Amino acid sequence: MKRIYTSVFIIIFVIALDVYSHHVMLKEKNRLDSYLTGIQQYAQSEDTESAILEAEKLIQVWEHSRKKLAFFVNNRNLDEISDSITKIKPLLRSDSDE
């Protein structure tokens, strides 16, 4: 009977962890998406300085978010996102990500 209780507990724990991780990822996605939308709006209105300031905020928020997501997401995926985010400022400054 102890094995059944232990198994049920493990299953409930895994499901709870899955729900929690999904919630964390959605929350961080929404936060990052709001910054990206702001950058896009500033860029479309040709307000480069405000877009660059928003990009700097995005980089800071991403560093915080990355620490949260590292437990749930593969590091390779996080590295790709980091590379993309760091290319935003040069792209805004000179219309080139180089």
Side-chain angles (χ1 to χ4, degrees):
M1 202 62 171
K2 287 184 180 182
R3 290 181 186 172
I4 292 174
Y5 290 137
T6 303
S7 298
V8 169
F9 175 75
I10 290 171
I11 290 170
I12 291 171
F13 179 76
V14 168
I15 291 171
L17 182 63
D18 182 51
V19 169
Y20 173 73
S21 66
H22 183 71
H23 174 72
V24 168
M25 286 189 275
L26 282 177
K27 181 180 171 187
E28 295 304 318
K29 178 241 176 224
N30 290 336
R31 184 186 317 181
L32 295 171
D33 193 38
S34 68
Y35 282 99
L36 289 169
T37 302
I39 292 169
Q40 186 178 18
Q41 289 173 349
Y42 286 130
Q44 287 175 348
S45 66
E46 298 181 10
D47 187 0
T48 306
E49 291 302 318
S50 296
I52 290 173
L53 289 174
E54 197 75 7
E56 290 172 357
K57 291 178 190 176
L58 173 65
I59 291 170
Q60 292 173 355
V61 168
W62 168 246
E63 290 304 320
H64 181 69
S65 295
R66 182 183 174 124
K67 292 175 186 175
K68 288 182 183 179
L69 296 172
F71 183 70
F72 306 113
V73 181
N74 186 346
N75 274 338
R76 187 178 317 153
N77 294 337
L78 295 175
D79 289 340
E80 290 174 8
I81 295 169
S82 291
D83 291 342
S84 296
I85 288 176
T86 56
K87 290 180 182 180
I88 292 175
K89 279 176 54 177
L91 178 64
L92 291 169
R93 284 194 179 125
S94 63
D95 285 337
S96 173
D97 62 348
E98 297 298 322

